[in-house]
Amino acid sequence: MPKLKTHRGAAKRFKITGNGKIKRWKANKSHLLTGKSSRRTRRLRSSTLVDKADVKRIKTLLPYM
């Protein structure tokens, strides 16, 4: 069995927590921020966990994490 390559784009976007869950950062924080409320931009700063439906797909992109 050959070694598997890690998907580099996914490796930069996701991190594994201590419990083995996958952490991601929220979208819509790069530009056009003047139209968004300060409450909304403040909430976009925090990270969140990947939804259970997407975990299997992301784990195939990150075989060694």
Side-chain angles (χ1 to χ4, degrees):
M1 189 79 186
K3 289 193 276 186
L4 297 170
K5 286 194 174 181
T6 299
H7 190 287
R8 298 312 297 159
K12 292 168 188 174
R13 287 172 171 83
F14 301 106
K15 296 283 176 258
I16 306 292
T17 64
N19 289 331
K21 294 176 182 175
I22 302 174
K23 188 169 82 165
R24 68 171 178 87
W25 289 270
K26 293 178 182 172
N28 301 313
K29 186 72 176 65
S30 57
H31 65 111
L32 299 174
L33 295 172
T34 53
K36 295 165 190 164
S37 68
S38 56
R39 177 180 183 227
R40 183 175 167 189
T41 53
R42 195 164 53 245
R43 288 186 173 196
L44 290 172
R45 277 183 216 148
S46 61
S47 61
T48 185
L49 295 175
V50 169
D51 195 65
K52 195 177 91 172
D54 301 320
V55 168
K56 187 179 176 186
R57 215 160 18 124
I58 292 166
K59 283 195 172 176
T60 61
L61 298 173
L62 307 169
Y64 301 107
M65 289 186 93

